[in-house]
Amino acid sequence: MPLSLCSLFFNDFIIMKKVLIITYYWPPAGGPGVQRALKFVKYLPKFGWEPVVLTVENPDSPVDDISLSNDIPEGTKIYKTKSLEPFELYKKFTGKKSNEKIPNDVLLNKKSATLKDKFANWVRLNLFIPDAKIGWKKYAVKRGIEIVKKEKIDLIFTTSPPQTVALIGKALSKKTGVKWIADFRDPWMEIVYYQKVKRSFLTLKTDSYFERGVLKNANGIVTISDDMIRLFKSKSPNQTFHLIPNGFDKTDFTKTIKEKNNNFTIAYTGSISNDRVPYVLFSALDKLINEDGVHNIRLDFAGRYCHEFTEAIKKNNLLHIADLKGFVPHNESTQILNNADCLLLVVDNVPNNKGFLTGKLFEYMGTKKPIFAIGPTDGDANGFIQKSNSGIMVNYNDNTMAYEELKTMYENWKNNTENYSYKVEQFSRKNLTKKLAQVFEEVIR
């Protein structure tokens, strides 16, 4: 057989290596926690890896978004197991409906938290270690062993939070001998919703023990920012770390963009907790509207909002320019971004936030619209904004800079001029998945 024909014959029958991807959040669950695993699954087959998914059949996710199922490649093998979910007990204890969605940060709206809410939250923070999803572990490990044997899995990949998923990967790797990579979208002990709550000494010691065990035993750690690598490396200096940030999927931004808006439209999609209230933006808007006489400005927000945010909107007399939608499916949220003129990003105003890199940042980059970010100017988020030349970041209390930068963005929109070059191709989900596949190859050698 001629060499060219022989090569063609064998290329048609290449056997892809298999990776077991363990994730708690998976469609029809919605929200940012789903995106990373979903997009990896979508693009891994292009780089020689067949993903097999292990997830939970009864997830307690903050929102549902059936539209995300369209990204799952046809023929993907998806295994689901049951889980003991403490939020079911929480709902009964607090008198909530069984089908009511509970946010991960159940005290997001602290003004309305009852004593029952506070007690239930204390139980969740101190008795369920590392998190309230620990009831999934025994079911996932048992089923995972079966999957590894049946599918002849070459590698295990877990993505957290919840951190329970990493414990599942650790146990499964130990029982099967298959190498395992742990991926972290957020820190472990320093995750944002643990930074302003009281956890007992014993809880902290136990959780720290779990974290060290995962960092020590994984065959590689993937995470989203340099600062998170620094944080984890301080706890496990001999571990190998790989930086793969979140990204954007070009196919999410293919819809037609409407003609220029009549109003300069600032958009935001996602949750706003009391650590994300954009006070400095409201100050800048107040000056633009009341001192400069600019009235063709609109806020187009979609998501969940805390009490402090809605109060700040009212206090700054911005209700007349604000369209505050609730949660919308991902395909609708990307259209909101596409139709905006400026995109608001807020990094949680908490300690240890320099490494915080929300997936929202990279979706914003995908629109190629100017980003108005609020957060630590010496953090990783601002580093990516500057590297891609996609916008600006102001500190939480820098009212002067916020006003000047917002006014510049408004003037650029008004005059049809552009200040940014949007060098964002490096952050496409496809390119990032290619990088992940290269990490896979390194680990299994």
Side-chain angles (χ1 to χ4, degrees):
M1 182 183 293
L3 181 59
S4 59
L5 291 179
C6 183
S7 300
L8 179 61
F9 175 81
F10 284 111
N11 283 341
D12 285 342
F13 291 94
I14 290 176
I15 300 175
M16 290 197 292
K17 292 177 281 292
K18 289 187 177 182
V19 56
L20 177 60
I21 295 183
I22 306 176
T23 176
Y24 183 90
Y25 296 110
W26 187 255
V34 180
Q35 295 289 325
R36 189 167 171 90
L38 178 62
K39 299 300 185 178
F40 284 151
V41 168
K42 178 178 179 179
Y43 289 111
L44 273 170
K46 295 182 180 297
F47 304 106
W49 284 86
E50 178 186 342
V52 178
V53 178
L54 173 59
T55 188
V56 64
E57 66 183 21
N58 58 325
D60 200 292
S61 59
V63 293
D64 287 337
D65 187 351
I66 193 66
S67 71
L68 294 177
S69 299
N70 296 327
D71 268 341
I72 303 174
E74 185 177 352
T76 301
K77 293 177 181 177
I78 302 170
Y79 294 87
K80 297 184 178 183
T81 75
K82 66 179 181 179
S83 172
L84 293 177
E85 292 289 337
F87 276 120
E88 294 305 318
L89 296 176
Y90 168 80
K91 290 173 185 177
K92 290 179 181 178
F93 178 72
T94 56
K96 299 183 185 297
K97 297 177 181 178
S98 60
N99 61 348
E100 186 173 348
K101 292 293 183 183
I102 306 297
N104 289 330
D105 44 354
V106 292
L107 292 186
L108 177 70
N109 192 341
K110 295 182 180 180
K111 295 287 184 180
S112 63
T114 66
L115 287 177
K116 280 188 175 183
D117 285 328
K118 292 177 180 179
F119 175 73
N121 202 53
W122 183 91
V123 170
R124 175 197 178 216
L125 292 171
N126 290 283
L127 300 187
F128 296 104
I129 309 171
D131 48 56
K133 313 305 182 188
I134 191 63
W136 185 37
K137 183 185 173 185
K138 70 173 184 177
Y139 299 102
V141 172
K142 180 180 178 181
R143 192 63 184 279
I145 293 172
E146 297 170 359
I147 296 169
V148 167
K149 294 177 181 177
K150 176 183 176 182
E151 300 288 348
K152 296 181 173 55
I153 295 296
D154 297 287
L155 183 68
I156 297 166
F157 177 80
T158 59
T159 180
S160 307
Q163 316 301 9
T164 288
V165 179
L167 297 184
I168 293 168
K170 177 174 176 284
L172 194 53
S173 178
K174 183 177 181 180
K175 290 177 181 293
T176 64
V178 176
K179 289 185 176 180
W180 154 61
I181 296 174
D183 173 58
F184 292 97
R185 308 183 305 274
D186 291 296
W188 189 304
M189 299 292 292
E190 298 81 5
I191 196 166
V192 61
Y193 47 75
Y194 282 165
Q195 292 202 25
K196 290 190 175 182
V197 295
K198 182 75 172 177
R199 303 174 82 198
S200 72
F201 175 79
L202 181 59
T203 297
L204 292 172
K205 294 291 283 186
T206 304
D207 204 10
S208 180
Y209 171 79
F210 287 154
E211 179 189 36
R212 289 196 307 273
V214 164
L215 294 176
K216 178 182 177 182
N217 288 281
N219 298 103
I221 302 289
V222 173
T223 190
I224 64 170
S225 72
D226 287 320
D227 194 70
M228 279 180 59
I229 289 178
R230 177 199 60 75
L231 179 64
F232 283 134
K233 201 171 186 64
S234 69
K235 303 175 184 183
S236 186
N238 297 321
Q239 179 58 268
T240 301
F241 295 90
H242 306 272
L243 173 64
I244 301 181
N246 285 310
F248 67 92
D249 191 343
K250 285 183 176 180
T251 63
D252 290 338
F253 300 97
T254 56
K255 292 186 178 180
T256 304
I257 301 174
K258 66 182 182 181
E259 296 179 1
K260 182 176 178 178
N261 295 312
N262 294 324
N263 298 294
F264 178 67
T265 302
I266 304 170
Y268 178 95
T269 58
S271 300
I272 297 183
S273 66
N274 62 339
D275 297 314
R276 293 183 190 170
V277 180
Y279 295 109
V280 71
L281 171 68
F282 295 160
S283 171
L285 286 170
D286 176 68
K287 194 168 183 179
L288 273 175
I289 294 169
N290 295 311
E291 294 187 21
D292 297 344
V294 174
H295 297 293
N296 56 339
I297 294 182
R298 294 289 300 170
L299 300 178
D300 193 1
F301 287 14
R304 295 181 4 253
Y305 319 111
C306 66
H307 173 80
E308 291 84 352
F309 170 76
T310 53
E311 286 299 303
I313 286 279
K314 295 175 184 176
K315 183 178 179 180
N316 287 274
N317 298 312
L318 297 174
L319 276 176
H320 68 289
I321 69 166
D323 182 5
L324 304 181
K325 304 177 179 68
F327 170 80
V328 299
H330 184 251
N331 56 351
E332 292 183 31
S333 72
T334 54
Q335 194 59 24
I336 290 172
L337 303 181
N338 257 343
N339 291 334
D341 305 298
C342 169
L343 306 179
L344 170 67
L345 177 79
V346 188
V347 179
D348 299 82
N349 190 6
V350 296
N352 300 307
N353 64 352
K354 291 183 181 180
F356 285 11
L357 277 175
T358 172
K360 190 190 323 293
L361 167 60
F362 299 94
E363 287 216 321
Y364 283 10
M365 288 179 179
T367 69
K368 297 186 178 181
K369 301 290 182 71
I371 298 171
F372 183 94
I374 302 169
T377 54
D378 57 347
D380 287 331
N382 191 36
F384 281 111
I385 290 172
Q386 298 306 313
K387 187 186 302 183
S388 62
N389 193 17
S390 295
I392 56 92
M393 178 171 281
V394 300
N395 275 313
Y396 299 101
N397 299 313
D398 195 342
N399 292 330
T400 300
M401 181 179 178
Y403 163 70
E404 292 172 351
E405 294 293 347
L406 188 64
K407 185 175 182 178
T408 297
M409 286 186 178
Y410 170 80
E411 293 293 340
N412 287 338
W413 166 80
K414 183 179 177 181
N415 298 320
N416 295 313
T417 56
E418 183 60 82
N419 271 12
Y420 306 105
S421 58
Y422 306 107
K423 301 172 183 176
V424 300
E425 189 61 32
Q426 60 189 308
F427 303 116
S428 74
R429 292 285 190 182
K430 185 176 179 179
N431 285 340
L432 294 171
T433 304
K434 180 180 181 180
K435 188 174 180 180
L436 181 66
Q438 292 169 346
V439 173
F440 286 0
E441 297 292 344
E442 291 177 18
V443 169
I444 66 171
R445 280 187 193 134

